[in-house]
Amino acid sequence: PPAPPGAIRFLFLGSLIPTKGPDVVLEAFARLPAGAATLRLVGPPLPYRGSSRYADALRARAAAIPGVTLTAPWSPTEVGERLADHDVLLFPSTWEENSPFVLHEAAAAGLRVVASDIPGSSAVLGERGARVAPGDVEAWRRALASEVRLGRRRDRKSTRLNSSHSSVSRMPSSA
């Protein structure tokens, strides 16, 4: 079926701390043409190293970029329904993850995924999803622009992620 009309809807779902990379996708999103997409950042603004400066700066930057909303965490019972309101999950973590559950949730909801090319996410995704160098804002901008060109179609194959992965093995990097 054809993709529904409208701007593509990106989602970041995780703790609002530097190692999860929300600032990376926020800056990459800011470099897209205005109106091409929306970005929702969902998660707790946790203190990082005893300070709220990072979360405060993230909140201020998000408020200054059209198309961005920053919201409090969803309850576990809301996640499935709210994922359906988005097209692409962004997983910009800058550290190794151990089988990130949010990737499985996104796949079950039919969302496409753009993720940092790190152990854990690469192992879970297998051949699915787009991989991006962690922390590279320009690479993330290019990946987001590619997703915008794809439109709002769903990834019907994404429900079949690699379930027999090892959290310590690195999948081959994609260029």
Side-chain angles (χ1 to χ4, degrees):
I8 192 167
R9 303 163 303 172
F10 291 118
L11 172 66
F12 169 88
L13 183 60
S15 298
L16 302 176
I17 59 174
T19 54
K20 294 293 186 176
D23 57 313
V24 174
V25 294
L26 188 59
E27 291 308 318
F29 180 85
R31 297 177 184 184
L32 294 177
T38 61
L39 171 61
R40 176 168 290 163
L41 301 166
V42 179
L46 302 174
Y48 186 73
R49 295 187 176 162
S51 172
S52 66
R53 283 192 305 257
Y54 177 83
D56 294 342
L58 190 70
R59 188 177 299 111
R61 181 68 175 128
I65 302 171
V68 175
T69 57
L70 193 147
T71 62
W74 298 331
S75 74
T77 59
E78 296 177 286
V79 172
E81 180 181 328
R82 293 199 179 216
L83 284 172
D85 293 334
H86 300 86
D87 303 304
V88 180
L89 177 79
L90 305 177
F91 188 78
S93 189
T94 61
W95 63 349
E96 294 184 19
E97 298 276 352
N98 183 24
S99 188
F101 190 66
V102 70
L103 297 179
H104 295 280
E105 291 175 310
L111 274 65
R112 300 189 317 257
V113 175
V114 179
S116 288
D117 190 9
I118 57 172
S121 67
S122 291
V124 169
L125 290 172
E127 296 302 314
R128 301 276 180 245
R131 303 305 185 325
V132 183
D136 185 337
V137 172
E138 181 54 26
W140 274 91
R141 186 210 55 81
R142 288 190 306 269
L144 298 184
S146 292
E147 293 298 323
V148 167
R149 286 189 295 277
L150 290 174
R152 291 194 47 214
R153 70 172 176 77
R154 291 294 175 141
D155 185 357
R156 294 191 294 194
K157 296 178 183 178
S158 68
T159 57
R160 289 177 255 146
L161 293 180
N162 186 2
S163 60
S164 61
H165 69 277
S166 165
S167 63
V168 294
S169 66
R170 179 177 285 280
M171 300 298 285
S173 296
S174 59

